[in-house]
Amino acid sequence: MHKKIVILPQEVVNKIAAGEVVERPASVVKELVENSLDAEASLIEVEIKEAGKKFIRVTDNGIGMSRQDALLCTKSHATSKISSIEDLERIFTLGFRGEALSSIASVSLMRVVTKNEEEDLGIELEIEGGEIKAKREVSVRRGTSIAVRNLFYNTPARKKFLKSSATELAHIIHILEQFALAYPEVNFRLIHQEKELFNFLPQESLKERIKEVLGKELADSLLEVEFKDKELEITGFVSKPEFFRFDRYGQFLFVNRRAVTNKSFSHALSSVYQELLPKERFPVAIIFLEIAPKLLDVNVHPTKREVRFQNEGIIHDSLVKAIKEALTNSSLILELKEKFYSSFQDKAEEIIPPLVKESFSPREINLVSSDTPFIHKLPFLQIANLYIVISDDEGILIIDQHAASERIIFGILSEKEKPIETQNLLIPEIIDLAVREAEILKENLDKFKEIGFEIEEFGRNSFQVRKIPTIISRSPRELILEIISEIYKDESKIMKLEKEKLLSLIACHSAVRRGDVLGELQISRLIQDLKSTKFPWTCPHGRPTMIRLNWEELQRMFKR
Ligand code: ADP
Ligand code: MG
């Protein structure tokens, strides 16, 4: 027999972390799916319209509720999961506060349909702003279906804070990805505007589920983490250093199968990978920490996204140990380090063509200087691995190599009069993406096409890059991952970009960077190309690409 719903006594209520549970459609999805998982469902279907702003329905095949429980479930502090203060110290379920359904019901139009094993007929309830308006018996299968319409209909101020559908959808996908990773044995489906976005089938192993959620390519590159101590156990996977991402999005920590954010976790990851990855590159990690509930407080945050450990230090150190071990066990760590650094060197060599390194070809100098008035006084100086200093008849020019390169690429890709020069890739590059990443790329495929990329869908969440603009010298895979990450990072940004915006992102991410050591030939090209762009003086963001000091100004400064 499963426990009945009770209304928690005031002394327990007082101990519960209070605060807003329902921030956005994704929080509704999170709470409803948690309930389905607590009800031991093996199939959970999430249907949404307008990214959940209009409609959310979560249907499960779990244990269901009795008619009596159904009538109670949307009351404040009504829960079947705990009943006393002591229970708060040993929480084995995802929910425990009895607040989710009541908070959601009070700001929406809700319909609950549920039936348990014992009763022949189920019950359907219609609830408006928290009030039960209608109830009837219905013949349904065991399980629960909760539909939430017009979220925040009666709280316009909160409704106003909702973001674009694309952003809200991304949040929902992210929440479901977390559940999918934490519960590989459960079948999760997401349907948006009547279209199935994914159907993660029940899997026997986490690895198989990772393949579905984060892509096969990434799953195949993972190293297993296994660590056991007296009080805790850490399992899961971390990525080999060459499979980094450009944000922390691929880092998941589950504490007793609950997705949480935790500083020790991100810190442990960065400290282990810091020597293996360059700045702004992040490993992927899917880590499960199992710990006795008594050593853990989950009652610290209203949405339960943070937890407190009795001993945070031990958790941090164990995570570091576990991750380090995974990397060392694979006996790859040293090999990788070498490989990584040598690959950097290779890159540096590509940047400086051999021709330039040996000697500066006089033909090149002529070629560059003949039609480039402001550079006939080569040589120039590259300083701080960022600025190029040259002089001409009028004075001194200081060029910011990144801004200049950005302007050049932007200029070429936004050229309207002539077609963008493109090149076919000898071997098309296949990119396997996570669901969320794939959604972002799909939204913007037509824009990529307009600026010279040929990218096609190649099976679910996989893409094939066949053609790229000639001006781009970076690996298309990395460039695309980085652009996706940029689009996702900014909450206020809509996911479907304007062409201009995509152009400036691509220009920024494929431009020469601060720190790139440039060869003389490259510098000459850069100067020449900059001169032939339409707006050479500023980068696409409006920052200057170069600063000029006239001879007169200099003389004045030196009081000559
Ligand atoms: P909590 O999960 O913290 O107990 P909720 O407000 O989320 O609080 O849910 C209240 C109660 O309603 C739960 O304790 C549970 O008994 C019941 N309930 C909610 N959703 C489901 C479901 N999908 N299947 C079975 N019972 C459910
Ligand atoms: Mg709940």
Side-chain angles (χ1 to χ4, degrees), residues 31 34-35 38 81 95-96 100 304:
E31 294 295 335
E34 282 191 354
N35 283 342
D38 282 341
K81 300 170 194 175
F96 56 89
K304 300 163 282 183

Side-chain angles (χ1 to χ4, degrees), residues 312-442:
E312 190 81 36
I314 290 184
I315 302 293
H316 176 267
D317 296 349
S318 308
L319 282 167
V320 169
K321 258 192 227 157
I323 299 164
K324 237 186 208 157
E325 240 165 56
L327 283 160
T328 344
N329 276 354
S330 73
S331 77
L332 276 170
I333 196 152
L334 277 175
E335 191 189 316
L336 277 170
K337 241 190 205 170
E338 273 159 26
K339 206 165 128 202
F340 216 86
Y341 287 124
S342 66
S343 91
F344 268 123
Q345 267 181 354
D346 289 349
K347 272 195 197 133
E349 309 228 315
E350 274 165 34
I351 291 171
I352 311 167
L355 171 87
V356 179
K357 274 202 309 186
E358 283 157 28
S359 67
F360 205 138
S361 140
R363 207 179 60 82
E364 289 289 342
I365 298 181
N366 288 338
L367 194 141
V368 171
S369 52
S370 61
D371 61 338
T372 319
F374 54 63
I375 57 159
H376 42 236
K377 290 219 174 82
L378 286 171
F380 38 71
L381 211 58
Q382 187 193 19
I383 48 177
N385 281 342
L386 174 61
Y387 300 110
I388 298 161
V389 185
I390 52 175
S391 72
D392 64 9
D393 293 342
E394 289 170 46
I396 292 173
L397 262 181
I398 306 170
I399 299 175
D400 175 319
Q401 66 184 42
H402 174 70
S405 164
E406 229 180 323
R407 165 51 70 194
I408 294 165
I409 298 173
F410 187 87
I412 290 177
L413 294 181
S414 56
E415 179 62 69
K416 290 195 185 76
E417 276 112 61
K418 23 182 213 276
I420 295 162
E421 209 180 297
T422 59
Q423 59 181 33
N424 284 316
L425 297 182
L426 275 181
I427 306 162
E429 187 146 2
I430 310 286
I431 313 180
D432 256 345
L433 295 174
V435 180
R436 163 208 69 127
E437 295 167 326
E439 278 307 303
I440 294 177
L441 187 53
K442 273 185 224 160

Side-chain angles (χ1 to χ4, degrees), residues 509-545:
H509 288 280
S510 40
V512 166
R513 290 172 193 224
R514 156 186 231 149
D516 285 350
V517 182
L518 301 186
E520 292 179 73
L521 179 60
Q522 267 186 306
I523 291 180
S524 309
R525 281 246 163 85
L526 190 90
I527 296 167
Q528 189 188 22
D529 289 346
L530 183 62
K531 194 203 126 225
S532 51
T533 62
K534 276 203 190 112
F535 308 99
W537 294 97
T538 60
C539 79
H541 312 292
R543 285 196 303 272
T545 53

Side-chain angles (χ1 to χ4, degrees), residues 47-100:
E47 288 167 72
I48 49 176
K49 295 205 175 112
E50 285 180 33
K53 293 192 259 188
K54 267 250 110 50
F55 179 78
I56 300 170
R57 179 164 57 205
V58 176
T59 306
D60 68 53
N61 64 354
I63 59 171
M65 285 179 257
S66 66
R67 272 174 276 171
Q68 193 190 345
D69 274 359
L71 290 167
L72 275 178
C73 72
T74 52
K75 301 271 177 291
S76 196
H77 304 298
T79 180
S80 58
K81 300 170 194 175
I82 63 165
S83 54
S84 66
I85 290 185
E86 297 78 66
D87 289 343
L88 274 177
E89 275 146 37
R90 35 165 202 259
I91 289 170
F92 294 93
T93 46
L94 292 167
F96 56 89
R97 318 178 332 148
E99 272 292 85

Side-chain angles (χ1 to χ4, degrees), residues 140-360:
V140 284
R141 272 193 263 177
R142 194 195 75 171
T144 304
S145 168
I146 296 185
V148 175
R149 252 172 262 268
N150 293 350
L151 185 63
F152 300 144
Y153 81 104
N154 51 358
T155 51
R158 282 161 84 186
K159 193 170 182 151
K160 225 173 54 198
F161 279 102
L162 292 178
K163 299 277 161 50
S164 72
S165 289
T167 305
E168 296 301 341
L169 178 62
H171 281 280
I172 292 177
I173 294 179
H174 185 54
I175 289 284
L176 290 173
E177 282 178 348
Q178 293 177 335
F179 283 123
L181 291 170
Y183 292 83
E185 72 280 16
V186 175
N187 189 167
F188 291 92
R189 269 185 92 201
L190 174 64
I191 296 151
H192 184 217
Q193 311 288 56
E194 259 120 59
K195 201 181 115 217
E196 181 180 275
L197 284 191
F198 56 73
N199 182 12
F200 298 144
L201 297 173
Q203 297 295 346
E204 289 190 351
S205 71
L206 171 61
K207 190 75 168 268
E208 288 305 310
R209 181 47 66 82
I210 294 175
K211 273 187 199 166
E212 288 183 291
V213 178
L214 301 176
K216 185 174 176 309
E217 183 187 333
L218 183 109
D220 289 341
S221 84
L222 294 173
L223 302 170
E224 194 158 359
V225 176
E226 252 189 307
F227 176 89
K228 215 177 157 140
D229 205 342
K230 277 197 305 292
E231 293 183 324
L232 56 89
E233 196 174 337
I234 298 172
T235 56
F237 294 95
V238 290
S239 58
K240 292 178 189 164
E242 64 261 50
F243 273 85
F244 53 79
R245 283 291 196 262
F246 295 92
D247 50 40
R248 289 184 194 282
Y249 167 80
Q251 303 183 351
F252 298 86
L253 174 66
F254 301 97
V255 176
N256 295 350
R257 279 186 146 191
R258 183 193 298 279
V260 297
T261 53
N262 176 273
K263 284 215 185 80
S264 297
F265 175 55
S266 17
H267 187 266
L269 277 171
S270 353
S271 73
V272 178
Y273 279 85
Q274 121 194 329
E275 282 180 56
L276 300 165
L277 288 180
K279 268 203 189 131
E280 304 299 313
R281 304 285 188 276
F282 303 93
V284 173
I286 302 106
I287 299 288
F288 288 79
L289 196 147
E290 294 293 320
I291 185 164
K294 65 173 182 349
L295 301 176
L296 175 76
D297 188 359
V298 291
N299 183 23
V300 286
H301 193 276
T303 68
K304 300 163 282 183
R305 91 170 72 91
E306 283 164 29
V307 291
R308 194 178 296 134
F309 296 100
Q310 215 172 60
N311 191 334
E312 190 81 36
I314 290 184
I315 302 293
H316 176 267
D317 296 349
S318 308
L319 282 167
V320 169
K321 258 192 227 157
I323 299 164
K324 237 186 208 157
E325 240 165 56
L327 283 160
T328 344
N329 276 354
S330 73
S331 77
L332 276 170
I333 196 152
L334 277 175
E335 191 189 316
L336 277 170
K337 241 190 205 170
E338 273 159 26
K339 206 165 128 202
F340 216 86
Y341 287 124
S342 66
S343 91
F344 268 123
Q345 267 181 354
D346 289 349
K347 272 195 197 133
E349 309 228 315
E350 274 165 34
I351 291 171
I352 311 167
L355 171 87
V356 179
K357 274 202 309 186
E358 283 157 28
S359 67
F360 205 138

